[in-house]
Amino acid sequence: MAWRGSVWKWTQTELISSRNVTFRRCRLDQSNQQRCGFRREAKRPESKQSNVSQETQIPSPAEAAHKPPPKIVRPSLIKPIMFTVGFTGCSFGTAAILQYETLRSRVQRKKEEEESEKMLQGSQDMVYWHNWWNELTSVQRQLLVLMSAVDDFWKSLSEGQKTVTGIIAANVVVLCCWRVPSLQRKMIKYFTANPASKSQCLPMFLSTFSHYSAFHLMANMYVLWTFSSTIVSLFGREQFLAMYMSAGVISSMVSYMCKTASLRFYPSLGASGAIMSVLAAVCTKVPDATLGIIFLPMVTFTAANALKAIVAMDTAGLILGWRFFDHAAHLGGALFGIWYVAYGHNLIWRRREPLIKFWHDIRSPGSGRSGPAGGPVNGPGPR
């Protein structure tokens, strides 16, 4: 009897514990079903705890589907507009001062060369230079020959090609920075233009020198190298730099406006907007020039027709919402280049004389209105 009593007591204990486990599992299953959005019909009045759990129940997927989507806030473009105006003005003002300093240094260098030639007349001894060359090692001689070859190559380039060499070098450096994993966040923040980003102004300029793809970089730099000699011969080195930098920021501003209007916020980068301004300026200034395609040399067309085709394609891409290129930036750069040739050159560059006079008075106080060469303060005529 003692054994049967102990067994009966053990079975009752196990039955009670199994019922408790089953009840807990049922509660857990019911709570899990409630979390997943399912409701189970109650067989008996629910307790206060079950009422609390129903009040905090997660809504079903059908109820969540009827909720309105979150509203997209349009970013403010006041700061980008102010940055565009200020940057453009500073670019052309700096270019005017740079032209003044360039003319001043050329005149000073010319005087120094004339004085040095007078001092060295009759004092050159070929034996001295022959002995000096013989004293050099073979490595030093090869280094001098290499430096001489590089100097000859640099002198063979046109002024426009020399000018864009620095721009190409800056683009290559930024492309290499994109390949550094530790710099990815900084590159995305400062070298991609997006109106919804926290940093709006500085990327408008830095993205002009940013290319993530090597093919994109080579295509843009090839076009810039091709038109560099023509654009610099038309406007001069300083005016070209001011126009190029301003076009990059203005094209980014146009892209910002279109993205904000369409509520399509995505980052963009590349020098295509600035290069489009150069291409549009050359085609507007020399409309009868003959252009061609590098891969199809047999196909030729005039510069005016090429500009019309490019503007039409970018306009169609902007209207139809093509996302392969930033057509808004392309169109903004092209329109700025056309406007600058038609009106901007007379409105901005030809009215730089007061600024140059002010800078000349600071550099040479008490010298009157004489410029660096003793002529008018604005140097040579407007280019």
Side-chain angles (χ1 to χ4, degrees):
M1 291 293 294
W3 177 79
R4 289 179 63 184
S6 62
V7 171
W8 175 253
K9 188 176 182 180
W10 175 78
T11 54
Q12 285 183 342
T13 305
E14 290 294 320
L15 181 61
I16 294 171
S17 62
S18 63
R19 287 180 179 177
N20 292 334
V21 171
T22 306
F23 178 71
R24 291 176 183 175
R25 287 181 178 176
C26 292
R27 292 184 62 185
L28 290 175
D29 294 340
Q30 183 178 3
S31 63
N32 289 334
Q33 290 176 358
Q34 289 177 355
R35 290 179 184 177
C36 296
F38 297 97
R39 299 186 63 183
R40 188 173 184 179
E41 187 176 349
K43 295 182 179 180
R44 55 185 175 180
E46 298 178 350
S47 62
K48 294 183 179 180
Q49 186 176 1
S50 62
N51 292 334
V52 173
S53 64
Q54 286 182 0
E55 291 177 0
T56 59
Q57 181 182 354
I58 300 176
S60 63
E63 295 175 355
H66 291 289
K67 288 186 176 181
K71 186 178 180 180
I72 301 177
V73 181
R74 296 179 186 271
S76 176
L77 298 180
I78 297 177
K79 289 184 178 179
I81 292 174
M82 296 176 62
F83 176 78
T84 302
V85 175
F87 184 87
T88 303
C90 292
S91 298
F92 282 96
T94 304
I97 295 175
L98 180 62
Q99 186 187 61
Y100 170 87
E101 293 295 333
T102 302
L103 294 174
R104 188 185 183 95
S105 62
R106 286 179 181 176
V107 172
Q108 187 67 24
R109 192 184 308 115
K110 187 66 176 178
K111 292 181 179 179
E112 293 177 357
E113 290 178 356
E114 292 177 356
E115 293 177 359
S116 61
E117 287 179 359
K118 292 179 180 179
M119 294 178 61
L120 292 176
Q121 282 182 355
S123 61
Q124 295 181 358
D125 190 0
M126 296 300 298
V127 177
Y128 169 79
W129 294 110
H130 182 73
N131 295 333
W132 174 80
W133 177 261
N134 292 332
E135 291 177 358
L136 298 177
T137 61
S138 59
V139 177
Q140 292 176 340
R141 293 178 183 178
Q142 293 177 1
L143 183 60
L144 286 175
V145 172
L146 179 61
M147 293 176 60
S148 178
V150 172
D151 184 66
D152 293 339
F153 172 75
W154 180 257
K155 290 181 179 179
S156 64
L157 299 178
S158 64
E159 186 177 1
Q161 292 173 341
K162 293 178 182 178
T163 303
V164 301
T165 299
I167 299 176
I168 295 174
N171 282 269
V172 172
V173 171
V174 175
L175 177 67
C176 295
C177 291
W178 274 108
R179 300 299 182 266
V180 181
S182 60
L183 298 178
Q184 291 295 313
R185 289 187 176 181
K186 296 293 182 182
M187 299 299 294
I188 295 174
K189 182 178 181 180
Y190 294 107
F191 286 87
T192 58
N194 189 353
S197 177
K198 294 182 179 180
S199 180
Q200 290 181 323
C201 298
L202 194 59
M204 297 174 66
F205 170 68
L206 295 180
S207 62
T208 307
F209 298 88
S210 180
H211 296 81
Y212 189 79
S213 170
F215 177 78
H216 187 199
L217 172 67
M218 289 187 294
N220 281 341
M221 294 302 103
Y222 174 78
V223 177
L224 181 62
W225 180 270
T226 303
F227 289 90
S228 60
S229 301
T230 306
I231 192 68
V232 172
S233 62
L234 291 174
F235 295 106
R237 182 182 63 179
E238 295 80 12
Q239 188 178 183
F240 157 71
L241 290 174
M243 176 187 172
Y244 183 84
M245 304 298 178
S246 301
V249 176
I250 291 173
S251 61
S252 298
M253 185 67 240
V254 176
S255 177
Y256 275 15
M257 296 172 65
C258 293
K259 290 177 183 177
T260 305
S262 61
L263 294 179
R264 296 178 179 178
F265 304 113
Y266 54 91
S268 57
L269 48 79
S272 301
I275 294 174
M276 282 297 297
S277 68
V278 174
L279 179 62
V282 172
C283 294
T284 305
K285 197 75 174 178
V286 193
D288 296 331
T290 303
L291 303 179
I293 303 175
I294 182 175
F295 300 108
L296 300 173
M298 72 290 298
V299 179
T300 59
F301 40 83
T302 61
N305 293 333
L307 181 60
K308 294 176 183 178
I310 292 174
V311 171
M313 183 187 67
D314 287 323
T315 303
L318 182 62
I319 296 174
L320 298 177
W322 297 345
R323 294 282 298 274
F324 189 72
F325 297 110
D326 192 346
H327 295 280
H330 289 192
L331 193 60
L335 294 178
F336 174 74
I338 298 172
W339 174 85
Y340 187 79
V341 172
Y343 306 102
H345 176 75
N346 296 329
L347 293 176
I348 300 177
W349 192 250
R350 289 190 175 181
R351 298 185 180 183
R352 70 191 187 281
E353 182 176 352
L355 176 62
I356 299 178
K357 180 182 180 301
F358 174 75
W359 181 257
H360 176 71
D361 294 339
I362 296 176
R363 292 281 282 110
S364 304
S367 60
R369 291 183 55 83
S370 61
V377 70
N378 59 345
R383 305 174 71 176

